[in-house]
Amino acid sequence: MSSLRFARIAHESPDGIEPRVVASEPGADRWVDVRAAECRRLERGGASAVAARRLATALVPGSLTAALEGGTAFREAADRAAQEADPDTFAPEGARLLRPIDPPAYRDFMAFEEHFVNASRRFDREPAAVLYEMPVSYFGNAHAIVGPEDEIPWPHYTRAMDYELELGIVIGTPGRDLTPETALDHVLGLVNFNDFSARDIQGVEMSGGLGPSKGKHFGSAVGPWITTLDALDPNDLAMTARINGETWSEGSTSTLLWSIAELVAWASTGEPLAAGTLLGSGTVGRGCGLELGRTLEPGDVVELEIEGLGVLRNRLGTPPPSGWRPEPRERASAGAR
Amino acid sequence: MSSLRFARIAHESPDGIEPRVVASEPGADRWVDVRAAECRRLERGGASAVAARRLATALVPGSLTAALEGGTAFREAADRAAQEADPDTFAPEGARLLRPIDPPAYRDFMAFEEHFVNASRRFDREPAAVLYEMPVSYFGNAHAIVGPEDEIPWPHYTRAMDYELELGIVIGTPGRDLTPETALDHVLGLVNFNDFSARDIQGVEMSGGLGPSKGKHFGSAVGPWITTLDALDPNDLAMTARINGETWSEGSTSTLLWSIAELVAWASTGEPLAAGTLLGSGTVGRGCGLELGRTLEPGDVVELEIEGLGVLRNRLGTPPPSGWRPEPRERASAGAR
């Protein structure tokens, strides 16, 4: 396999927006449409135009997760497409980039020590011992993952919006009970990841010991593209966050308490890790407003930039005037026996 | 729409096991293969055999989630199939039942007060105030959901296995920001749900404020079928758990602190709720070994039975001799600033 970048672009079709998987070698200045390249290759092998389209569509669907589920057959097609870089298969210049991965699952770790020490002390606590025993994580709502330039919906139940500067890890091939020695073979690549957070409700929820849920699930952003591991030095990538153009956060993947291989291995321990899964590293030290004593406002523009992974830019939406909340309950005298 | 039960059966094909969606009216003693019924209907309308199969396969794929994504078009096909109950479309007698839903997301609540009061007191705590303010929940690993008669894998990192007697709620149509008034229109039906738990690592993980993760994600069971809401009195269903034939737990959905409509509405507040999503109610009071001071052993057979939802039976697997665990880290003097 060669070093690649993967993205998805929006194609306007008579049936609505159609996502297309595109790839390029890291230094290239144009994206190649992988399905179009595969179509042409099949026709050169004697396939009819209709059959070439049918086969290429099956191998390179618009979902990158579905494509990855095809295993090496898909990956080889992407490699060929990017290496040949036939101008007839270039994606249109200026095409809108969608979220590069449509993950079937998303798990967020808390793997930067400086962040969890700082965050704990904001609540007058020392970090829990378990954070040094294993990489602790929770699952988020994979259906709420958005892409570059997408607006982040501001839920009605929060006034304390925050960003989180994280490294995203995209799983390329499924696994279970991996070890750090085998884990990296299951990684497609890395991506900027912004785990937007509603700090007020998040703090309340976490006092219940589950989640968080509403503090996180309204929208996290990923993109603009995925760069394969072999094109990067994953242990030494500079990480930056800018709010309305001003640098708020600077960090490095070199400060991870657990290696990427350990995070992936532990994610797969005792449970299935699906192709296309998105893993978040957790926030780098001083990589969110909570640690800096700052909060975001509606309309703020947040940019994340990790070395080699481009710039992920999102604007915050506006809170709706109101919304439904559950009616609190009285404690029953019944209950415990 | 009429009252229905939905399940999926395993069909042995030359390409391996093929799941087939089946449906029946609640009192019927045979399952109808929905795709087969749709195929015949199309042929009666003049479709060629090949076209009928193509169209029926698109409308009734093997994934119940993918079928539900077809909206009323699918639901009407299921209604017709079950009502006609043409013997030529019956599923083979004794066919193996698969997990009835292949959920794209799974969220578990903690909505029975007696359970969370009892569980808190096991750890010498009073229940957190938030549990009375909103229905608290976390996301689990939807890829780890198994079906009736499936063996539950016993992960290497636990010795304290437990069951949890829960009501499962299956989402039929997607939504966001639903209210209790609109939420039930988005529910397909109810199902037995067993949220198997590894109590030792679960307790450690929850001290970190995220998750739980490894305490839960190794396998949860659902089935054997889904019964639509209109065929049940969801606020008064008897719930039973038996271990190796002995009744350990008895409860009722009447003790829910939050209604099904509130749970679904809150699940959708500020975030997407996808068709096919599985929601767990949380454990009914005294519905797990933790509350009873009892634990499970390898090979134990756990049966859950909620009124109108059949019997969900699973056997526990055997722990592997060893497995990888992360190496604990030292606290750095660096970190907080």
Side-chain angles (χ1 to χ4, degrees), chain A residues 65-66 69 101-106 139 142-143 274-278, chain B residues 103-105 141-143:
Chain A
T65 288
E69 287 169 349
I101 186 72
D102 50 317
Y106 146 53
F139 266 55
H143 293 90
T277 294
L278 176 65
Chain B
N141 185 341
H143 293 90

Side-chain angles (χ1 to χ4, degrees), chain A residues 322-333:
Chain A
S322 65
W324 177 76
R325 281 190 83 136
E327 199 68 44
R329 296 298 195 262
E330 296 293 322
R331 287 171 195 250
S333 57

Side-chain angles (χ1 to χ4, degrees), chain A residues 104-105 107-108 110 113-114 117-118 121 126-144 153 155-157 176-180 201 204-214 217-218 257-259 262 265-272 274 286 324-332 335-337, chain B residues 104-105 107-108 110 113-114 117-118 121 126-144 153 155-157 176-180 201 204-214 217-218 257-259 262 265-272 274 286 324-332 335-337:
Chain A
R107 176 199 292 269
D108 202 32
M110 196 151 62
E113 180 182 14
E114 185 182 356
V117 169
N118 288 342
R121 293 195 180 158
E126 285 302 303
V130 65
L131 298 170
Y132 296 92
E133 289 165 20
M134 61 186 79
V136 167
S137 66
Y138 69 99
F139 266 55
N141 185 342
H143 293 90
H156 71 80
Y157 50 71
R176 186 168 184 144
D177 288 322
L178 306 176
T179 64
I201 199 164
V204 176
E205 285 179 330
M206 287 173 72
S207 69
L210 301 181
S213 170
K214 298 298 159 187
H217 295 343
F218 52 90
L257 187 62
W258 310 92
S259 70
E262 287 173 310
W266 189 237
S268 78
T269 297
E271 62 181 295
R286 299 174 63 78
W324 177 76
R325 281 190 83 136
E327 199 68 44
R329 296 298 195 262
E330 296 293 322
R331 287 171 195 250
R337 281 191 247 174
Chain B
R107 175 200 291 271
D108 202 31
M110 194 149 63
E113 181 181 13
E114 185 181 355
V117 169
N118 288 342
R121 294 194 181 158
E126 284 302 302
V130 65
L131 297 170
Y132 295 92
E133 290 165 21
M134 62 186 79
V136 167
S137 67
Y138 69 97
F139 266 55
N141 185 341
H143 293 90
H156 71 80
Y157 50 70
R176 186 169 184 143
D177 289 322
L178 306 176
T179 64
I201 199 163
V204 176
E205 283 179 331
M206 287 174 70
S207 69
L210 301 181
S213 170
K214 298 300 159 187
H217 294 344
F218 52 90
L257 188 62
W258 311 92
S259 70
E262 287 174 311
W266 189 236
S268 77
T269 297
E271 62 180 296
R286 299 175 62 78
W324 177 76
R325 281 190 83 136
E327 200 68 47
R329 295 299 195 264
E330 296 294 323
R331 286 172 196 250
R337 281 191 245 171

Side-chain angles (χ1 to χ4, degrees), chain B residues 60-298:
Chain B
V60 193
S63 157
L64 182 58
T65 287
L68 291 169
E69 286 169 349
T72 51
F74 162 70
R75 183 57 199 273
E76 286 163 6
D79 279 3
R80 279 191 304 264
Q83 278 163 17
E84 288 176 13
D86 174 356
D88 287 347
T89 64
F90 283 171
E93 278 201 84
R96 181 162 72 89
L97 290 171
L98 303 170
R99 54 180 190 167
I101 186 70
D102 51 317
Y106 147 53
R107 175 200 291 271
D108 202 31
F109 284 101
M110 194 149 63
F112 284 101
E113 181 181 13
E114 185 181 355
H115 168 73
F116 63 67
V117 169
N118 288 342
S120 298
R121 294 194 181 158
R122 285 264 154 200
F123 296 107
D124 288 324
R125 289 194 309 260
E126 284 302 302
V130 65
L131 297 170
Y132 295 92
E133 290 165 21
M134 62 186 79
V136 167
S137 67
Y138 69 97
F139 266 55
N141 185 341
H143 293 90
I145 305 286
V146 302
E149 307 296 343
D150 284 341
E151 184 176 282
I152 305 301
W154 187 302
H156 71 80
Y157 50 70
T158 185
R159 290 298 172 268
M161 187 69 91
D162 203 356
Y163 68 99
E164 292 195 336
L165 169 55
E166 301 200 13
L167 178 69
I169 304 159
V170 179
I171 301 302
T173 54
R176 186 169 184 143
D177 289 322
L178 306 176
T179 64
E181 289 68 39
T182 59
L184 294 185
D185 296 340
H186 294 256
V187 173
L188 176 67
L190 304 179
V191 64
N192 290 297
F193 182 60
N194 195 336
D195 181 32
F196 286 96
S197 301
R199 297 298 185 198
D200 37 12
I201 199 163
Q202 180 192 349
V204 176
E205 283 179 331
M206 287 174 70
S207 69
L210 301 181
S213 170
K214 298 300 159 187
K216 298 285 191 174
H217 294 344
F218 52 90
S220 301
V222 67
W225 63 69
I226 300 159
T227 303
T228 55
L229 266 187
D230 52 3
L232 299 162
D233 176 2
N235 303 312
D236 190 22
L237 299 173
M239 304 171 73
T240 309
R242 291 182 293 272
I243 314 300
N244 302 324
E246 178 195 346
T247 300
W248 283 23
S249 301
E250 288 179 291
S252 166
T253 60
S254 65
T255 59
L256 275 167
L257 188 62
W258 311 92
S259 70
I260 293 172
E262 287 174 311
L263 296 177
V264 172
W266 189 236
S268 77
T269 297
E271 62 180 296
L273 179 65
T277 294
L278 176 65
L279 304 177
S281 63
T283 310
V284 70
R286 299 175 62 78
C288 63
L290 176 70
E291 291 174 74
L292 308 170
R294 303 179 77 164
T295 55
L296 300 180
E297 300 294 332

Side-chain angles (χ1 to χ4, degrees), chain A residues 131-182:
Chain A
L131 298 170
Y132 296 92
E133 289 165 20
M134 61 186 79
V136 167
S137 66
Y138 69 99
F139 266 55
N141 185 342
H143 293 90
I145 305 286
V146 302
E149 307 296 344
D150 284 340
E151 184 175 283
I152 305 300
W154 186 303
H156 71 80
Y157 50 71
T158 185
R159 290 297 172 270
M161 187 69 92
D162 203 356
Y163 68 98
E164 292 195 336
L165 170 55
E166 302 200 13
L167 179 70
I169 304 160
V170 179
I171 300 302
T173 54
R176 186 168 184 144
D177 288 322
L178 306 176
T179 64
E181 289 68 39
T182 59

Side-chain angles (χ1 to χ4, degrees), chain A residues 28-242:
Chain A
D29 60 356
R30 291 296 297 269
W31 292 105
V32 175
D33 184 306
V34 180
R35 190 194 301 172
E38 181 65 12
C39 227
R40 285 174 172 261
R41 189 186 75 90
L42 289 160
E43 287 186 39
R44 290 197 301 272
S48 71
V50 169
R53 184 176 299 187
R54 184 179 74 238
L55 293 165
T57 301
L59 187 65
V60 193
S63 156
L64 182 58
T65 288
L68 291 169
E69 287 169 349
T72 51
F74 163 70
R75 182 58 198 272
E76 286 163 5
D79 280 2
R80 279 191 304 264
Q83 278 163 17
E84 287 176 13
D86 174 355
D88 287 346
T89 65
F90 283 171
E93 278 200 86
R96 180 163 71 88
L97 291 171
L98 302 170
R99 55 181 188 164
I101 186 72
D102 50 317
Y106 146 53
R107 176 199 292 269
D108 202 32
F109 284 100
M110 196 151 62
F112 284 101
E113 180 182 14
E114 185 182 356
H115 168 73
F116 62 68
V117 169
N118 288 342
S120 299
R121 293 195 180 158
R122 285 264 154 199
F123 297 106
D124 289 324
R125 289 195 308 260
E126 285 302 303
V130 65
L131 298 170
Y132 296 92
E133 289 165 20
M134 61 186 79
V136 167
S137 66
Y138 69 99
F139 266 55
N141 185 342
H143 293 90
I145 305 286
V146 302
E149 307 296 344
D150 284 340
E151 184 175 283
I152 305 300
W154 186 303
H156 71 80
Y157 50 71
T158 185
R159 290 297 172 270
M161 187 69 92
D162 203 356
Y163 68 98
E164 292 195 336
L165 170 55
E166 302 200 13
L167 179 70
I169 304 160
V170 179
I171 300 302
T173 54
R176 186 168 184 144
D177 288 322
L178 306 176
T179 64
E181 289 68 39
T182 59
L184 294 184
D185 296 340
H186 294 256
V187 173
L188 175 69
L190 303 178
V191 64
N192 290 298
F193 182 61
N194 194 336
D195 180 32
F196 286 96
S197 302
R199 297 298 185 198
D200 37 13
I201 199 164
Q202 180 192 351
V204 176
E205 285 179 330
M206 287 173 72
S207 69
L210 301 181
S213 170
K214 298 298 159 187
K216 298 284 192 174
H217 295 343
F218 52 90
S220 302
V222 68
W225 63 70
I226 300 158
T227 303
T228 55
L229 266 186
D230 52 3
L232 299 162
D233 176 1
N235 302 312
D236 190 23
L237 300 173
M239 304 170 72
T240 308
R242 290 181 294 272

